[in-house]
Amino acid sequence: MSKPFKPKTVVDVKRMTRSDITALYKHCMRIVGQDDHIIKAQSKDNKWLFGDDTNFLNVVDEYIREQGATLDKRNVKPATALVLQASPEYFRRDYHRDDPEGFGKYDTKKLNDWVLANVKWLKNTFGSDCIAAHLHVDERTPHIHAVIVPMFEKAPTMPKNKRKGETQAHFDLRVERAKKKKGRKVVSHHKHYLFGAGRKSYEIVVDSYAAAVEHLGIDRSERGSEATPTTKQEWARLLYKKSKEIEQNLIGKQKRQRLEDESFEFGAAALMDEKIRYAEAKDGRDEGLLPSTNWPQDKHEQNEIRSGVKPAKTRIVAFAKKIRDFTNTSLEKAKMRVFEMLKAVEKREAAVKAKEIELAEREKALGLMEGIEDTWFEDGEMSAANERTLRENGIIQDKIEHQPVLEVREELVRVQVR
């Protein structure tokens, strides 16, 4: 008996440019974008968990100024967006996740518990860096859009080496001054303590979030490639990854095929030069290749042949076997094959010739039909003009004593004698 399905976490992380920040604000305010999936009667229940309806871009810029922070020179995206959600089954157990009747419905107590857990996690994890969080309950499943300005404190640069001509006392003084300096805040996604773990950063974020909602009976989503994408960004990442894999596999196959083709050409030349030959399977050893009459004595050339045939060895062995079998065939069998081939050619030529003759006869008959007069007989006898035409074409001869009667058809002309 299968275990009952347990709700899982759904987390999406996306770095945002300034235009992305504005677009997300408009989405939250329902200003632009498709609204066919929006349950407009419930839009009034959407609410701010952090921040207010001030444009996100203005809030981001103001927060950076307040903190005295600077943008990392490699960071052109000043904010990170989070989409936090749980499986639909958590909010509406009485409906299938794809049942339109259940869209927009939720258990109020479960929703409140889940929202409280999300607020605590955002506050404890990001603090004031979370400049806005908006709850949406007017779509299929309740979810939260959060905007994070990822900051880290960059420590002051410490002197490492003495300058040229600098005394030790002066160097120690510079070190002490550097220690007293305060670090400066920098906006940087890839250096943030949670987002900056490279490829593992997403898994770290999900682990942290899953721990915050675990007490609600919500399990962590599947890891890695086993997880089912739930957002456009996840689908885009998956499709991009798959397309790259396919492209790399194709490039790899093309390279291997070129290498194998070059190896086969090399091996075929070695066979023709009798440097190698086919070796049958024997004493538990698979069929393969062995040195032949013109096997080189130079070690370098021997190694070159061995390495040259390796990529296409299977093809070369099969080709060498065909050459061996053809060479060992008796002369009588070779003659028989040639005889059968010539006989088949002769049959084809005879058939072609017969067809040509038939076509010529048909053309002749049709031409004859066009050349004779419509009236064949005058008072029961053949007209002189038509008799002359038949005699010129060899249909009537002098030695025929009886009057011929003609039967004309489209495909052929026959003469019957009564």
Side-chain angles (χ1 to χ4, degrees):
M1 185 175 180
S2 60
K3 296 181 179 179
F5 177 81
K6 291 192 68 176
K8 298 184 182 298
T9 59
V10 180
V11 180
D12 183 54
V13 181
K14 178 188 176 182
R15 297 176 62 194
M16 295 193 297
T17 61
R18 296 180 67 83
S19 59
D20 292 333
I21 297 171
T22 301
L24 178 59
Y25 171 74
K26 291 180 179 180
H27 169 72
C28 291
M29 299 301 295
R30 303 301 187 218
I31 297 175
V32 294
Q34 289 183 331
D35 59 358
D36 54 349
H37 66 294
I38 302 297
I39 306 169
K40 296 181 180 179
Q42 296 180 199
S43 294
K44 66 182 186 306
D45 298 325
N46 294 348
K47 62 181 179 180
W48 296 97
L49 306 177
F50 290 93
D52 52 33
D53 59 359
T54 306
N55 191 315
F56 292 162
L57 188 58
N58 295 337
V59 178
V60 168
D61 291 340
E62 182 61 28
Y63 180 70
I64 293 174
R65 281 194 296 270
E66 287 178 357
Q67 297 296 318
T70 57
L71 283 173
D72 184 79
K73 61 182 179 181
R74 291 180 293 176
N75 185 39
V76 295
K77 299 179 179 181
T80 300
L82 297 178
V83 180
L84 307 174
Q85 186 180 319
S87 302
E89 291 79 6
Y90 171 78
F91 299 101
R92 49 177 189 270
R93 289 189 177 275
D94 297 334
Y95 296 91
H96 186 272
R97 65 189 305 156
D98 296 323
D99 183 0
E101 292 294 327
F103 293 172
K105 291 184 171 61
Y106 52 86
D107 183 304
T108 304
K109 185 179 183 308
K110 284 183 172 292
L111 175 65
N112 292 336
D113 293 341
W114 176 77
V115 169
L116 180 61
N118 277 265
V119 170
K120 287 182 178 179
W121 180 74
L122 288 170
K123 187 174 182 180
N124 295 334
T125 306
F126 302 104
S128 61
D129 288 350
C130 180
I131 57 103
H134 198 231
L135 171 66
H136 290 185
V137 294
D138 59 350
E139 298 180 45
R140 277 193 177 192
T141 306
H143 57 275
I144 295 171
H145 289 279
V147 180
I148 313 297
V149 180
M151 289 193 182
F152 80 103
E153 189 166 317
K154 186 174 183 180
T157 304
M158 300 296 293
K160 294 182 179 179
N161 301 306
K162 290 193 298 184
R163 295 169 180 168
K164 186 176 181 181
E166 186 180 29
T167 62
Q168 184 62 42
H170 191 273
F171 174 73
D172 293 339
L173 181 59
R174 282 199 301 121
V175 172
E176 289 300 321
R177 286 176 180 173
K179 288 180 180 180
K180 292 178 181 179
K181 285 183 180 179
K182 291 183 178 180
R184 59 187 180 89
K185 289 188 175 181
V186 179
V187 179
S188 177
H189 180 95
H190 72 277
K191 290 185 179 179
H192 188 267
Y193 84 99
L194 194 61
F195 300 136
R199 294 182 179 180
K200 296 180 180 179
S201 61
Y202 177 76
E203 299 295 335
I204 294 173
V205 173
V206 177
D207 286 341
S208 175
Y209 178 69
V213 296
E214 185 180 10
H215 66 284
L216 300 176
I218 302 174
D219 286 351
R220 188 199 188 283
S221 58
E222 299 292 340
R223 293 180 180 274
S225 59
E226 296 177 1
T228 301
T230 56
T231 66
K232 290 181 180 179
Q233 288 78 14
E234 289 178 2
W235 278 114
R237 282 194 293 267
L238 178 63
L239 293 175
Y240 178 78
K241 181 180 178 182
K242 291 294 182 183
S243 65
K244 282 296 181 183
E245 289 178 357
I246 293 172
E247 183 181 356
Q248 292 300 322
N249 290 338
L250 181 60
I251 293 173
K253 286 181 180 179
Q254 291 173 344
K255 287 182 178 179
R256 289 192 295 272
Q257 188 61 46
R258 285 197 298 269
L259 182 62
E260 184 178 315
D261 291 342
E262 293 173 358
S263 175
F264 179 77
E265 293 291 336
F266 179 83
L271 286 168
M272 297 304 294
D273 294 340
E274 296 186 355
K275 294 180 180 179
I276 54 176
R277 62 179 177 83
Y278 173 73
E280 292 182 345
K282 190 176 182 181
D283 298 333
R285 183 185 64 188
D286 295 334
E287 61 180 358
L289 301 170
L290 286 176
S292 189
T293 308
N294 296 327
W295 178 252
Q297 300 300 316
D298 183 66
K299 293 290 184 182
H300 177 72
E301 291 185 23
Q302 293 177 2
N303 292 334
E304 186 178 0
I305 293 175
R306 291 191 182 99
S307 60
V309 301
K310 190 174 182 179
K313 186 175 180 180
T314 303
R315 286 176 59 186
I316 296 171
V317 170
F319 182 64
K321 185 178 181 181
K322 289 180 181 179
I323 294 176
R324 193 280 309 268
D325 293 342
F326 181 80
T327 305
N328 293 342
T329 302
S330 63
L331 181 61
E332 193 61 34
K333 288 184 177 180
K335 287 182 178 180
M336 184 59 68
R337 284 201 297 271
V338 173
F339 174 76
E340 293 295 334
M341 290 170 59
L342 292 175
K343 187 168 71 173
V345 171
E346 178 62 28
K347 285 183 178 180
R348 285 197 296 271
E349 290 179 350
V352 170
K353 189 173 182 181
K355 192 67 177 178
E356 291 175 349
I357 293 173
E358 180 183 350
L359 292 174
E361 291 294 331
R362 286 176 183 272
E363 290 178 2
K364 181 179 178 182
L366 292 174
L368 177 61
M369 288 172 61
E370 293 175 358
I372 62 178
E373 297 179 2
D374 293 337
T375 305
W376 281 83
F377 299 97
E378 297 175 356
D379 299 329
E381 295 184 359
M382 181 183 296
S383 65
N386 287 330
E387 181 180 355
R388 184 169 56 256
T389 300
L390 295 176
R391 287 186 183 281
E392 288 175 355
N393 286 276
I395 296 175
I396 299 178
Q397 299 180 6
D398 292 337
K399 62 181 181 180
I400 297 178
E401 297 178 357
H402 302 284
Q403 178 68 39
V405 177
L406 292 179
E407 182 181 331
V408 182
R409 297 180 182 172
E410 288 185 5
E411 56 279 315
L412 124 99
V413 177
R414 298 186 211 160
V415 177
Q416 296 180 352
V417 179
R418 292 180 183 174

